[in-house]
Amino acid sequence: MNWIFLILGGLCEIGFTTCLGKAKDATGNGQWFWYGAFVVFLFASMGLLIKATQTLPLGTAYAVWTGIGAVGTVLMGIIFFKEPADFWRIFFIFTLIASIVGLKAVSSH
């Protein structure tokens, strides 16, 4: 169950970084909405990480959490913020995913 908390926390990390990008482009009340959503996702992400580390090894949990957030944030940047999607960027996203899967596999033993 704590792996589910960890994955949800990583997804919330994607949420709070995406909110920062949206807030940067917004004005007036829209900007405050995105900053408010940032705070909600931030607290949810940290809370879920704290819950997950009650039974998962801290180093593994943190690496997986940040990995999910990093991969998801790069993908959100490519899809929604028109960031470049060149070969090396995609290549390193896949190596990061492989590392996350590897950490999960090693910590299961």
Side-chain angles (χ1 to χ4, degrees):
M1 186 70 185
N2 283 322
W3 280 103
I4 294 170
F5 291 141
L6 186 61
I7 291 167
L8 290 173
L11 294 174
C12 286
E13 186 181 3
I14 297 166
F16 76 71
T17 56
T18 301
C19 288
L20 282 178
K22 297 298 274 183
K24 180 182 70 166
D25 296 334
T27 57
N29 288 337
Q31 191 174 41
W32 288 109
F33 167 80
W34 289 111
Y35 284 134
F38 165 81
V39 171
V40 170
F41 278 113
L42 178 65
F43 276 96
S45 182
M46 294 297 166
L48 289 162
L49 176 62
I50 290 166
K51 179 70 177 153
T53 57
Q54 290 176 347
T55 58
L56 298 175
L58 179 61
T60 300
Y62 182 74
V64 170
W65 178 76
T66 57
I68 292 169
V71 168
T73 300
V74 169
L75 292 176
M76 293 296 281
I78 290 169
I79 295 166
F80 293 107
F81 298 108
K82 310 289 188 264
E83 293 178 1
D86 59 24
F87 171 80
W88 288 110
R89 224 173 159 172
I90 301 302
F91 173 79
F92 286 116
I93 288 171
F94 278 107
T95 60
L96 187 53
I97 292 168
S99 297
I100 293 166
V101 171
L103 280 171
K104 163 79 171 91
V106 206
S107 70
S108 297
H109 296 272

